[in-house]
Amino acid sequence: MISRRAALGQLGALALAACDKADPRPGQDWADQIRWREDLRQFEGPGLQVVRNWDFAASLHGFVADGAELRHQPGVGAELVSQSGDPKLRSPTGIDLPGAMANLVLVRMVRAVAAGPWDGALYYATETHGESAAHMALPVETWPPETANPVTLVYDMTHPARGGEDWTRHRISQLRLDTEAAPDGRVLIAQIALAHRD
């Protein structure tokens, strides 16, 4: 029987070693060109500039979890284990970055254990408001990530699900990512990045 540590190592190696592309919705062909380079540990794509990133292979960088247990897997990433039907991963406050400078949010991850429905919504706070259902985005790829398949979630913040131009007109102070919408789900996140693409 394979140990939990060995299983995590295998999933981590898969998540960090594979180079994938984000499958786009119609009209979002540009997202198909955004790729994860494991050898450089960075996102790449035509016209893409990473403005800020958090590489969880090194540390959790002050991120915290609500409704889930957050564990650091050194060299792998942040492991989020759902303990409720509404797990949340939050960045530290004080990002203080103009949204117009980073019109994309990129998340490199693998859904290690699927325990229920997938959420995948991204919420944010600015200098004028906290996180709310009125200000959120969904990834360009709308279907749930396949179990054990590394993916790059691409959030186009110029066309959020809700909030209109709010992101691009304000300074972003905090991010929140909702993942597995059921207890016992496991997600390994290698990196989150704020990026700009013309």
Side-chain angles (χ1 to χ4, degrees), residues 8-9 34 46 50 68 84-85 126 134 148 152 162 178 196:
L8 281 172
I34 296 177
V50 173
S84 71
T126 72
T152 297
R162 296 176 184 170
D178 290 7
H196 185 271

Side-chain angles (χ1 to χ4, degrees), residues 30 47-49 51 97-106 154-160 167-168 193-198:
W30 55 267
L48 184 72
Q49 179 182 1
V51 179
L97 183 74
M101 289 181 59
N103 53 20
L104 298 176
V105 178
L106 309 175
V154 179
Y155 296 84
D156 180 1
M157 304 310 294
T158 63
H159 297 89
W167 172 282
T168 57
L194 298 176
H196 185 271
R197 181 183 181 279
D198 294 332

Side-chain angles (χ1 to χ4, degrees), residues 6 21 42 47 52 68 83 88 90 94 97 100 117 129 141 156 167:
K21 59 185 179 180
Q42 68 183 30
R52 189 169 303 178
Q83 296 178 327
K88 305 174 180 66
R90 283 190 176 91
L97 183 74
H129 66 76
E141 61 280 12
D156 180 1
W167 172 282

